[in-house]
Amino acid sequence: MIDTKADTMSHPIPDPSNGLAPYAATDAQSHGRQYREPSPAYRSEFQRDRDRIIHSAAFRRLEYKTQVFVNHEGDLFRTRLTHSIEVSQIARSIARALRVNEDLTEAIALAHDLGHTPFGHAGQDALNACMKPYGGFEHNLQSLRVVVELEERYAEFRGLNLTFEAREGILKHCSNANARELGALGQRFLDHTQPSLEAQLTNLADEIAYNNHDVDDGLRARLIDIEELTEVTLFREQYAEVRAAYPDLSQRRTVHEVVRRMINRQVVDLIETSTQRIKTAAPDNIEAVRRHPEPLIAYSAEMREQNLELKRFLRTRLYQHYRVHRMTTKAARVVSALFEAFIEDPQLLPDDASVHCKRLETDGGMPGRARGVADYIAGMTDRYAITEYERVYNPRELT
Ligand code: MG
């Protein structure tokens, strides 16, 4: 992508703050990028963030990283790429309804999982355990690391040089120890202040997306069934409605109709509750949003309860299902074994990873080496991790 200097005389840039509420993020109030760059022509700063994310290598790898199911389980299951697109779709609907910045929202949504390891949470927990002696591994922090440090696409800087607001949105959680290292970006975790509304709503859109698509994927994989799902209020109510209106509808279409209505219920509740909260707090700009003692984006008390009920159900019936557990146990073993092999003997690393690792080790000793290995493993797709495991451990693979 080529950034040309904005020629505002012949190509007027459409005002991206048109129609936005006063508390929305805007180019004019942005805390800017780490490295100064000329403004883009024809695009807003946050559109440019989004475009940089879409063109990154880490974004393409999301296609072969898992949410709950290992990638080769079946072609219909969500991957982190389709999940990120669903999050973006839900988040943009909410952003538009609340008149906040849709471009920033989209950028945060598409980038939020860039730092995820292969094999979903199992991979991340395994890598975190391996990294315990070296400062741990947090996937949110890794997403930030990808856009700040690991992507190598520009002549002038490492990373994607995203705006502060995009980076703020990507860093959803962070330990205090890491927050202290991050300067302005980490400050809110120490001060207990809030991120932008765009960041807050994308965080909840993420939850809405995965809770509901895990219901859909779980049913498809026959790990859960409709009867047990009727224990969950949110499902039961929509299911009863759909059955009453369309008693002869096939099961597949019934499930889609129910899941679609579940998402809609949560999104509508979130928009309406948040609209009220914003009205009451009346923030007159983004800084007032950040200073507000609690997040302004929220569910009603009733929906929060229903949401927790759905999450509890998914945790015990789906994520802890023995078949999922078998998959994730194997996956965790692959990640730990790869880490062990590479930390012990970094010469096993392929060239690029080896150079990266050596550079970090020169600067930071063993913790640096470990971070380099973690970066390499975190960047792997599910199938690449399995292939690497075979190459490193299987004596039949002597190539
Ligand atoms: Mg996510």
Side-chain angles (χ1 to χ4, degrees):
M1 198 184 329
I2 300 160
D3 289 317
T4 49
K5 253 203 172 86
D7 178 354
T8 46
M9 294 304 282
S10 53
H11 311 299
I13 303 169
D15 180 0
S17 60
N18 250 350
L20 292 185
Y23 41 79
T26 59
D27 284 12
Q29 289 180 60
S30 172
H31 293 200
R33 300 177 188 277
Q34 282 179 293
Y35 308 95
R36 245 178 211 292
E37 290 185 76
S39 299
Y42 302 110
R43 291 177 295 169
S44 71
E45 296 290 349
F46 302 125
Q47 275 178 287
R48 175 153 73 177
D49 283 348
R50 176 206 53 207
D51 299 349
R52 288 182 174 187
I53 290 156
I54 288 176
H55 290 282
S56 70
F59 185 71
R60 285 195 295 284
R61 291 201 201 104
L62 293 175
E63 186 176 2
Y64 299 105
K65 293 196 186 198
T66 335
Q67 280 292 120
V68 177
F69 303 89
V70 173
N71 190 256
H72 55 255
E73 285 280 304
D75 288 347
L76 277 175
F77 296 114
R78 267 77 173 182
T79 65
R80 288 214 176 262
L81 181 64
T82 58
H83 163 69
S84 300
I85 293 170
E86 288 182 28
V87 174
S88 158
Q89 177 266 314
I90 292 169
R92 286 174 60 193
S93 303
I94 301 167
R96 196 178 295 190
L98 298 177
R99 294 195 301 124
V100 298
N101 200 306
E102 213 176 308
D103 296 328
L104 172 60
T105 302
E106 190 180 11
I108 297 170
L110 294 179
H112 85 281
D113 270 350
L114 288 181
H116 247 293
T117 58
F119 313 123
H121 291 285
Q124 116 114 24
D125 292 345
L127 196 51
N128 188 24
C130 296
M131 285 295 288
K132 266 273 131 63
Y134 313 106
F137 178 89
E138 297 177 33
H139 76 265
N140 265 297
L141 201 60
Q142 190 69 11
S143 295
L144 183 70
R145 197 167 155 72
V146 167
V147 300
V148 170
E149 178 74 22
L150 298 179
E151 281 288 326
E152 292 181 277
R153 311 187 68 79
Y154 295 90
E156 304 265 327
F157 44 76
R158 298 186 67 83
L160 303 178
N161 197 29
L162 303 181
T163 59
F164 175 89
E165 289 70 21
R167 284 175 283 132
E168 171 192 52
I170 291 169
L171 192 64
K172 281 192 289 194
H173 320 279
C174 179
S175 67
N176 281 357
N178 285 322
R180 277 189 282 274
E181 310 249 301
L182 288 169
L185 207 59
Q187 199 54 42
R188 79 176 157 95
F189 300 99
L190 307 171
D191 295 347
H192 303 289
T193 52
Q194 314 304 323
S196 68
L197 293 178
E198 289 82 354
Q200 293 181 32
L201 73 86
T202 306
N203 190 8
L204 286 171
D206 182 20
E207 260 192 52
I208 294 176
Y210 65 68
N211 284 336
N212 292 285
H213 63 51
D214 288 350
V215 167
D216 187 31
D217 282 350
L219 283 167
R220 185 179 296 110
R222 298 180 200 281
L223 294 166
I224 48 178
D225 62 34
I226 288 183
E227 205 191 300
E228 57 180 331
L229 263 164
T230 55
E231 294 165 25
V232 178
T233 313
L234 199 56
F235 186 93
R236 183 175 61 246
E237 288 180 0
Q238 315 310 309
Y239 184 68
E241 243 179 62
V242 174
R243 292 287 292 160
Y246 309 101
D248 302 322
L249 199 63
S250 73
Q251 204 193 85
R252 174 168 299 187
R253 286 173 72 179
T254 302
V255 167
H256 287 312
E257 193 61 39
V258 171
V259 171
R260 192 173 70 70
R261 289 170 188 230
M262 285 168 69
I263 293 175
N264 194 53
R265 274 284 290 273
Q266 291 166 83
V267 169
V268 168
D269 181 277
L270 193 70
I271 291 170
E272 290 176 355
T273 310
S274 305
T275 302
Q276 277 314 313
R277 289 166 68 91
I278 293 168
K279 215 175 184 178
T280 310
D284 45 16
N285 57 40
I286 188 171
E287 296 309 330
V289 167
R290 289 186 172 123
R291 279 196 309 269
H292 198 73
E294 47 191 27
L296 288 168
I297 305 291
Y299 291 118
S300 64
E302 192 196 346
M303 187 54 77
R304 194 166 52 241
E305 207 27 68
Q306 292 194 10
N307 218 41
L308 284 173
E309 187 188 31
L310 172 60
K311 278 166 114 164
R312 269 196 303 272
F313 175 89
L314 288 171
R315 193 170 55 242
T316 54
R317 307 294 178 85
L318 183 60
Y319 308 143
Q320 292 171 5
H321 192 288
Y322 83 92
R323 277 172 52 208
V324 173
H325 190 60
R326 282 185 186 179
M327 263 189 301
T328 54
T329 306
K330 275 188 277 187
R333 236 177 256 146
V334 169
V335 167
S336 313
L338 284 174
F339 186 87
E340 227 169 84
F342 295 135
I343 190 95
E344 206 126 290
D345 184 1
Q347 283 191 320
L348 293 172
L349 290 166
D351 290 347
D352 280 1
S354 172
V355 169
H356 173 68
C357 205
K358 245 182 228 144
R359 186 172 64 85
L360 294 180
E361 188 173 350
T362 307
D363 293 348
M366 262 316 261
R369 180 196 285 192
R371 188 60 57 193
V373 170
D375 285 338
Y376 179 53
I377 294 175
M380 292 178 183
T381 61
D382 296 5
R383 59 183 189 178
Y384 184 83
I386 293 166
T387 311
E388 270 297 74
Y389 178 85
E390 286 290 314
R391 287 194 200 118
V392 171
Y393 283 101
N394 186 348
R396 276 181 231 277
E397 298 268 332
L398 282 176
T399 49

